[in-house]
Amino acid sequence: MTDSTNTTSSNVDIIKLTAAEIAAAIAAGELTAVEVTEAHLARIGAVDEKVHAFLHVDREGALAQARAVDEKRARGEKLGPLAGVPLALKDIFTTKGVPTTVGSKMLEGWIPPYDATVTARLKAADVVILGKTNMDEFAMGSSTENSAYGPTGNPWDLSRVPGGSGGGSSAALASYQAPLAIGTDTGGSIRQPASVTGTVGVKPTYGGVSRYGMVAFSSSLDQGGPCARTVLDAALLHEVIAGHDPLDSTSVDEPVPAVVEAARNGSVDGMRVGVVKQFRGEGYQAGVVQRFDESVALLKELGAEIVELDCPSFDLALSAYYLIAPSECSSNLARFDGLRYGLRIGDDGTHSAEEVTALTREAGFGDEVKRRIMLGTYALSSGYYDAYYGSAQKVRTLITRDFEKAFEQVDVIVSPTTPTTAFPIGERADDPMAMYLADLCTIPTNLAGNAAMSLPCGLAPEDNLPVGLQIIAPALKDDRLYKVGAAVEAAFVERWGHPLIEEAPSL
């Protein structure tokens, strides 16, 4: 990735700029928003047939948004910090007049009549929305292989997964099809894709970004957040989409943390950084552990105090998550009944309403969605609620308490983002448990509602694929993520250069 601020009209030069550089060039009149948008649309046209990051490219809509930005600048109006910057939007956010499928046949062809709050805030900030990105169906998965429209490839190696559920957004960033993207994180679906594609992904504090208009998977866990190629770009996007929303009852009515200021003034000097012993051991790839240990050593060199932590309940997080999340999904997905909107099968006058619902759900939902609905319905059923769902919620409380105790001793916690680098497409498709283990390090944060970030910390020596460093902060202390992340990123770039590929051989 280039660090140059000398922009030219060449598409190659434009797509390699950061979001901050693009916004500055547009504001200064060195580039037009239309030029920038056309460069990224050309890139999508050149490589996305191989990557399959996008489910829908809104070419006309994006160019119209870009022209509006250029007209504002021509009139002398003040432009926002991301005006004219293109963005790839995960296909889980409703977008007025643009298809929203959530990666499922159940909503194939559905055109929402309204914008999600995140979508509306992006438009209000003059961010140019290029289109909607591929994802595991209803955000259920860690690889995009559960998308009804086929998997996305990892630009580092198209035979490997780009993570999930938001693999389309992360792949769009890594393949330079967009400088910014939006994802959602229920158990790691922003951070895990960021880790395996060498990009930056942030799960804000639960309630920090509105869920209004975001198709629900697990309401107490889902959280939208920013995805980018640099920590500063993620912070700029975070400020655009965050903040209280009266349309969302789970929205936090608190000021947005000063994340951009933190990203511009990164430092770990004097900070206490925790390392949890439960976040390593069997199942962790040797190269991932090596890069993580190097990252911890680097933090110490930069002036941080390293504190060993013991959080025993974290070992139970995966089990608790896969009771809570399916239980909530079984409730949320009951609305897709074939009667109100979306797919409808069997409505030919010969079937009852119940039969139409059954036929529609059979045809509309994929295997993983059906698996989780059945698990959740069972866990919530009479006679099993206390034994399963109730017990999982008690474990959730223990995890939250472990975090609270940890944050009495440290300012942030670090860990590997994922136990392994990107695995081959198809390798875990028939083994749900192996797939679920991809979120081993990320799930505890969702259960507690804390903030977390993944950023690149180098390549694993055995396969030359990206490794992610996870930073976890207390709730409403999202700025600590950016303060630490910016310091680590700057040190990595100074010593080893940015690990993101200049051009994937397969593209």
Side-chain angles (χ1 to χ4, degrees):
M1 183 161 49
T2 66
D3 292 320
S4 170
T5 55
N6 296 318
T7 61
T8 74
S9 59
S10 115
N11 286 351
V12 172
D13 289 338
I14 290 173
I15 65 172
K16 295 295 177 70
L17 295 172
T18 68
E21 289 168 345
I22 290 171
I26 291 172
E30 298 168 8
L31 287 172
T32 68
V34 168
E35 281 180 314
V36 171
T37 300
E38 287 178 337
H40 285 90
L41 289 170
R43 176 66 171 176
I44 293 169
V47 305
D48 200 52
E49 186 176 350
K50 297 177 181 178
V51 179
H52 189 42
F54 286 88
L55 292 179
H56 176 79
V57 178
D58 185 20
R59 180 179 179 84
E60 295 307 315
L63 288 170
Q65 293 172 64
R67 284 192 291 269
V69 172
D70 290 335
E71 289 166 4
K72 278 189 176 183
R73 186 184 178 281
R75 293 193 298 267
E77 295 181 27
K78 185 177 180 180
L79 300 179
L82 289 177
V85 179
L87 175 140
L89 183 61
K90 187 176 182 180
D91 197 27
I92 196 171
F93 291 93
T94 57
T95 310
K96 186 176 181 179
V98 175
T100 300
T101 70
V102 204
S104 178
K105 293 291 184 183
M106 185 62 80
L107 285 178
E108 187 172 27
W110 182 56
I111 310 292
Y114 70 101
D115 280 330
T117 295
V118 164
T119 309
R121 288 179 175 174
L122 291 169
K123 290 180 178 179
D126 293 318
V127 174
V128 175
I129 301 173
L130 295 170
K132 309 298 283 295
T133 56
N134 194 22
M135 57 181 286
D136 287 294
E137 184 181 8
F138 284 97
M140 299 180 198
S142 303
S143 65
T144 73
E145 291 171 282
N146 293 329
S147 170
Y149 306 99
T152 297
N154 189 323
W156 288 82
D157 179 347
L158 292 176
S159 70
R160 293 177 182 262
V161 303
S165 62
S169 288
S170 66
L173 294 171
S175 56
Y176 294 98
Q177 297 184 66
L180 295 173
I182 296 288
T184 62
D185 196 307
T186 305
S189 290
I190 288 175
R191 290 162 289 157
Q192 185 251 4
S195 177
V196 301
T197 58
T199 56
V200 177
V202 178
K203 186 204 87 67
T205 296
Y206 177 77
V209 172
S210 174
R211 294 190 304 110
Y212 177 76
M214 187 178 94
V215 180
F217 161 17
S218 179
S219 300
S220 74
L221 300 167
D222 297 340
Q223 184 58 68
C227 310
R229 291 194 293 261
T230 71
V231 172
L232 176 59
D233 285 358
L236 291 166
L237 183 54
H238 190 141
E239 282 204 346
V240 165
I241 62 175
H244 180 245
D245 179 13
L247 298 176
D248 175 7
S249 62
T250 62
S251 178
V252 177
D253 191 3
E254 295 286 344
V256 178
V259 294
V260 172
E261 180 184 344
R264 293 190 189 278
N265 299 284
S267 172
V268 298
D269 190 34
M271 293 186 74
R272 299 165 300 163
V273 176
V275 176
V276 179
K277 76 175 188 178
Q278 281 76 16
F279 284 148
R280 64 190 304 141
E282 186 179 350
Y284 284 75
Q285 185 175 323
V288 170
V289 174
Q290 179 182 336
R291 293 295 177 244
F292 174 67
D293 288 342
E294 291 170 355
S295 300
V296 173
L298 176 62
L299 286 164
K300 191 172 182 179
E301 286 181 40
L302 294 173
E305 176 190 351
I306 307 301
V307 180
E308 295 289 334
L309 298 171
D310 184 11
C311 299
S313 65
F314 286 11
D315 286 336
L316 304 173
L318 196 68
S319 299
Y321 175 87
Y322 279 104
L323 283 168
I324 293 170
S327 294
E328 294 185 3
C329 104
S330 74
S331 176
N332 277 323
L333 270 60
R335 72 193 67 178
F336 298 100
D337 54 12
L339 302 178
R340 286 169 282 193
Y341 50 83
L343 184 69
R344 181 179 299 173
I345 301 294
D347 186 17
D348 57 5
T350 66
H351 297 96
S352 67
E354 291 81 4
E355 289 171 333
V356 169
T357 295
L359 290 168
T360 298
R361 289 166 72 84
E362 168 60 29
F365 290 142
D367 289 344
E368 182 62 24
V369 173
K370 291 174 183 174
R371 180 183 295 115
R372 298 198 194 192
I373 289 173
M374 288 188 289
L375 282 170
T377 303
Y378 181 81
L380 293 174
S381 62
S382 177
Y384 296 101
Y385 181 96
D386 288 335
Y388 294 107
Y389 183 74
S391 296
Q393 291 288 17
K394 292 176 183 176
V395 169
R396 184 178 195 168
T397 300
L398 295 176
I399 291 167
T400 302
R401 289 175 180 170
D402 270 358
F403 269 119
E404 290 170 352
K405 291 176 184 175
F407 286 126
E408 290 174 359
Q409 304 174 61
V410 299
D411 300 302
V412 296
I413 295 169
V414 295
S415 77
T417 307
T418 60
T420 70
T421 55
F423 50 88
I425 293 173
E427 182 181 80
R428 304 184 186 181
D430 298 323
D431 188 351
M433 282 305 299
M435 187 75 77
Y436 298 164
L437 289 171
D439 298 329
L440 200 60
C441 301
T442 54
I443 280 173
T445 303
N446 294 87
L447 291 169
N450 298 328
M453 167 191 288
S454 178
L455 74 158
C457 64
L459 306 177
E462 60 265 49
D463 54 23
N464 211 38
L465 292 172
V467 176
L469 172 68
Q470 179 176 224
I471 306 166
I472 305 170
L476 300 176
K477 302 296 183 184
D478 304 48
D479 51 319
R480 293 185 191 176
L481 303 176
Y482 292 94
K483 186 177 181 181
V484 176
V488 171
E489 180 184 66
F492 279 141
V493 170
E494 181 182 348
R495 296 185 185 198
W496 301 299
H498 198 286
L500 194 61
I501 45 175
E502 284 296 321
E503 182 71 42
S506 50
L507 299 182

